[in-house]
Amino acid sequence: MKVIIGNDHSGVEMKNELVKFITSLGFEVCNVGTDDTKSVDYPVFAKKVCSKVLENKDALAVAICGTGIGISIACNKVKGIRAGLCHESFSAMMTRKHNNANVLCLGARVTGIELAKDIVKTFLNTEFEGGRHQRRIDMLED
Ligand code: RB5
């Protein structure tokens, strides 16, 4: 499975660590984030992440900004994207199982790197449960 990763300036260091980590888990990683710590605008990178996810039907993504809030707001404005902002692994598991989230948002200034790795691993390795949750997702899409 392809994993898209994108970030603004605040997320460069976390992104670099997560690219290594996600690769070590055996996934192909596609980096659409900035690699520069010069200030940029997170909506631009949210759009890049979401476009790639929509191009690759089975892909999952990780989107990073300082708090994770701005980039999650931006991602959730794109039709077909379900972005979950997670600060711990239980939410990462549930946002896959119940929300079929295709984007995991992280706050680089909020979450430490070891916890972020666990959140990412949980997100990537958890399947959507379908059933009644699909009906709710259909409602979101409508
Ligand atoms: C950038 O300074 C910061 O505002 C951004 O990364 C993010 O936290 C916004 O929600």
Side-chain angles (χ1 to χ4, degrees), residues 8-11 39-40 42 64-73 107 109:
D8 72 0
H9 54 285
S10 66
S39 184
V40 291
Y42 59 81
I64 308 163
C65 70
T67 58
I69 298 170
I71 207 153
S72 67
I73 293 171
R109 293 172 177 157

Side-chain angles (χ1 to χ4, degrees), residues 28-128:
E28 181 191 346
V29 183
C30 172
N31 172 25
V32 296
T34 182
D35 293 319
D36 198 320
T37 51
K38 183 171 144 287
S39 184
V40 291
D41 300 324
Y42 59 81
V44 171
F45 292 91
K47 193 172 177 185
K48 287 179 194 283
V49 167
C50 295
S51 299
K52 279 278 177 208
V53 169
L54 296 175
E55 276 170 27
N56 296 270
K57 267 243 165 240
D58 299 320
L60 293 176
V62 179
I64 308 163
C65 70
T67 58
I69 298 170
I71 207 153
S72 67
I73 293 171
C75 288
N76 277 314
K77 291 197 176 292
V78 180
K79 192 169 171 58
I81 295 298
R82 294 170 301 280
L85 169 59
C86 297
H87 300 302
E88 29 66 36
S89 305
F90 178 75
S91 297
M93 177 179 71
M94 294 311 289
T95 202
R96 287 288 305 130
K97 281 188 173 185
H98 285 194
N99 311 127
N100 198 13
N102 46 15
V103 180
L104 167 68
C105 297
L106 294 171
R109 293 172 177 157
V110 179
T111 304
I113 189 62
E114 294 307 322
L115 178 55
K117 286 179 188 173
D118 195 63
I119 292 169
V120 167
K121 186 176 179 179
T122 303
F123 182 79
L124 296 179
N125 288 325
T126 305
E127 295 290 325
F128 176 48

